[in-house]
Amino acid sequence: MKDLQINQTNLRLAKGDITRCEVDAIVNAANESLLGGGGVDGAIHRAAGPELLAACRLLNGCRTGDAKLTPGFRLKAAHVIHTVGPVWRGGTHGEAELLASCYQKSLELAEANGIRTLAFPAISTGIYGYPLDRATAIAVGTVRTYSENHPQTIITEITFVCFDDATFRAYEQAFEESE
Ligand code: ADP
């Protein structure tokens, strides 16, 4: 399994807990309220401390497919990018476009805020039920296209953090198929 180097940006896979990542920003798979939830969202709020919820309250929520920035507070990451993935409803409700938009908007927000290293969870593939192989193909495809279209990007490293083996295998497959 090798990394993908696209222009300035290294795309890599890692196993583990995103709250422990030493990167400039971690991405949170949030819900539209931005007021915390289960899964990775709950883990990020626990690790960042109550200041994160206070910061999120000021943002007035976030639409599905959009992304918003807060500090990382007690996390090693200086920033959290909160994005809201689509709930899977069979695939005919714009889910693919909305999921791609999560990655695209997160990258644009990172770029605009001087973020060089970024870690993504597998957005929508937990509680929101997005089929893993389709979601990882969209994640890798969108990030790859961004890197190809932004040869001067300041983002040098993008890590897909996999919480379980099935997710890791799905990303490995998506990396292979994107080559
Ligand atoms: P969604 O509501 O967008 O589906 P979830 O948090 O339920 O979000 O799941 C998204 C992905 O994040 C799943 O692959 C889940 O296993 C994973 N996940 C849960 N906790 C963590 C964590 N601490 N670090 C990285 N990934 C995590």
Side-chain angles (χ1 to χ4, degrees):
M1 168 66 236
K2 62 178 189 319
D3 300 356
L4 276 177
Q5 181 74 35
I6 315 284
N7 295 320
Q8 305 293 321
T9 313
N10 189 237
L11 275 50
R12 53 189 294 273
L13 286 184
K15 280 190 194 175
D17 179 350
I18 201 167
T19 66
R20 303 172 72 90
C21 284
E22 297 189 27
V23 288
D24 293 343
I26 63 171
V27 177
N28 181 16
N31 58 52
E32 284 193 333
S33 77
L34 294 185
L35 299 181
V40 72
D41 194 3
I44 289 172
H45 275 273
R46 280 193 297 279
E51 299 93 336
L52 181 59
L53 184 57
C56 284
R57 282 191 200 287
L58 303 175
L59 297 176
N60 293 313
C62 182
R63 293 205 173 154
T64 300
D66 208 350
K68 293 194 175 178
L69 185 77
T70 66
F73 299 103
R74 300 180 199 180
L75 294 166
K76 289 189 175 123
H79 307 276
V80 180
I81 292 173
H82 305 264
T83 188
V84 183
V87 176
W88 178 258
R89 294 194 288 150
T92 56
H93 294 79
E95 291 95 326
E97 293 76 11
L98 289 166
L99 186 59
S101 173
C102 288
Y103 287 93
Q104 179 73 24
K105 291 280 173 63
S106 295
L107 291 162
E108 289 170 3
L109 198 52
E111 189 92 48
N113 286 278
I115 289 161
R116 294 173 186 276
T117 58
L118 184 59
F120 281 103
I123 300 163
S124 282
T125 68
I127 298 159
Y128 281 3
Y130 210 110
L132 196 48
D133 51 348
R134 298 195 202 195
T136 53
I138 289 169
V140 174
T142 307
V143 168
R144 189 189 171 113
T145 301
Y146 183 90
S147 306
E148 285 169 351
N149 292 341
H150 295 78
Q152 308 297 332
T153 180
I154 62 161
I155 304 172
T156 54
E157 189 182 270
I158 297 170
T159 307
F160 296 104
V161 181
C162 308
F163 204 50
D164 52 48
D165 289 339
T167 302
F168 191 86
R169 283 193 297 273
Y171 273 110
E172 276 188 317
Q173 182 86 21
F175 267 44
E176 278 166 27
E177 284 169 7
S178 101
E179 279 195 292

